[in-house]
Amino acid sequence: MQVDQTQQPLAPSTSHRELVQALRSKQKTSKGASAYARFLNRPAGRHLAALAYKLHMTPNGVTAVSALCSFAGIGLIAFAPATPVISVLVAVLLILGYALDSADGQLARLRGGGSFAGEWLDHVVDAVKMASLHLAVLVAWYQGYVERGAWLAVPLLYQLLAVVLFFAIILTDQMRRAHRGSTSTRLAGEGSSSILYSLAVLPTEYGVLCLAFFLWSIPPLFSVVYAVFFGINVCFLLLAMPRWYGEMRSYGSADRAQAAAPTEL
């Protein structure tokens, strides 16, 4: 959720189409975003944010509905039988929860800007969601979804990976903001990634993992897809961490050089 108190909220009489159009001009930068986020989740979030605006909902209210959808789906993973109907219900709930997660920040921009408390709440809910999703898979697998043994290590390690990756992404973003002296996230036009990059990082995208749960009722297939996603995410983290660390080191060098520069009188 963007923290920015400089924008003016739109009139309540503004049409749904006008609200969506206004959000297109206030969209976050595509830099680092996957194709799923750019072309599916954020557009869906725009429409949900416009609907929430017309319903006079608050960003925190949308965050609560997002959490309700996500955790309902996660609960079904852990405790419901892996039937085709449950598979579809889980995937739909997770996908809707993720779209609403995009909508809360966009709603904040429609209402004139977000808040530190709202951003904090959004990130805390995301952190719990990321950790509990893989914990739910572990519970289901332990209860007989797959044969016990080495397979149980996959969701356990995936959970560890998800927590570390989520923390690293959030911390990197916060330090980038601190370095440029702004609390706001970058918007469209302030950096972008190529379509090829957006497609390449699709396996690391939470939304694509949500789509994989359409296969939940086919344990042999889902297990392989889930394990492949885990392996790709490990590779992504190993490649990204040194680059992010190098970026943080460059900030320190730039700050020291600026501090050592003589001050003009």
Side-chain angles (χ1 to χ4, degrees):
M1 184 182 295
Q2 184 181 5
V3 179
D4 187 350
Q5 301 294 344
T6 63
Q7 303 178 59
Q8 295 299 317
L10 298 175
S13 60
T14 306
S15 69
H16 181 92
R17 181 178 180 180
E18 290 172 327
L19 291 171
V20 172
Q21 185 61 40
L23 280 171
R24 286 196 180 98
S25 65
K26 301 177 182 180
Q27 194 65 65
K28 289 196 298 186
T29 176
S30 64
K31 187 173 182 61
S34 75
Y36 182 94
R38 293 174 65 174
F39 304 121
L40 292 176
N41 202 59
R42 289 179 181 175
R46 286 197 291 268
H47 286 280
L48 290 170
L51 176 61
Y53 188 83
K54 300 295 285 186
L55 294 174
H56 305 289
M57 295 181 67
T58 65
N60 286 352
V62 175
T63 299
V65 177
S66 171
L68 180 64
C69 292
S70 296
F71 293 125
I74 290 170
L76 290 175
I77 293 170
F79 303 113
T83 64
V85 173
I86 293 297
S87 296
V88 173
L89 187 56
V90 166
V92 169
L93 284 169
L94 294 179
I95 291 167
L96 179 58
Y98 189 38
L100 287 165
D101 185 35
S102 173
D104 59 6
Q106 300 196 55
L107 176 60
R109 289 190 282 277
L110 279 179
R111 289 165 56 92
S115 66
F116 289 107
E119 184 173 12
W120 180 90
L121 179 64
D122 188 36
H123 289 331
V124 169
V125 170
D126 285 345
V128 177
K129 176 180 68 180
M130 292 292 181
S132 59
L133 176 65
H134 301 290
L135 181 60
V137 173
L138 177 63
V139 170
W141 287 19
Y142 183 80
Q143 291 176 338
Y145 183 84
V146 295
E147 293 185 10
R148 297 183 187 180
W151 272 113
L152 296 182
V154 179
L156 185 63
L157 293 174
Y158 211 154
Q159 182 190 40
L160 174 62
L161 173 73
V163 171
V164 172
L165 184 57
F166 179 77
F167 177 79
I169 289 173
I170 296 301
L171 181 60
T172 300
D173 176 62
Q174 293 298 324
M175 296 187 78
R176 283 170 176 164
R177 296 190 202 185
H179 178 69
R180 70 173 187 266
S182 172
T183 60
S184 299
T185 56
R186 293 188 182 277
L187 298 178
E190 300 180 292
S192 63
S193 295
S194 67
I195 298 297
L196 183 60
Y197 175 86
S198 294
L199 292 171
V201 297
L202 272 175
T204 69
E205 165 66 56
Y206 174 78
V208 175
L209 179 59
C210 295
L211 289 174
F213 281 93
F214 280 115
L215 305 173
W216 182 244
S217 62
I218 314 173
L221 183 55
F222 175 83
S223 300
V224 171
V225 171
Y226 184 80
V228 169
F229 281 177
F230 167 67
I232 293 174
N233 275 270
V234 169
C235 294
F236 175 82
L237 183 64
L238 292 176
L239 291 172
M241 291 289 265
R243 181 169 61 83
W244 290 336
Y245 180 71
E247 182 182 346
M248 297 305 112
R249 283 178 59 88
S250 72
Y251 292 167
S253 299
D255 291 342
R256 287 192 294 271
Q258 183 177 4
T263 303
E264 294 185 5
L265 298 177

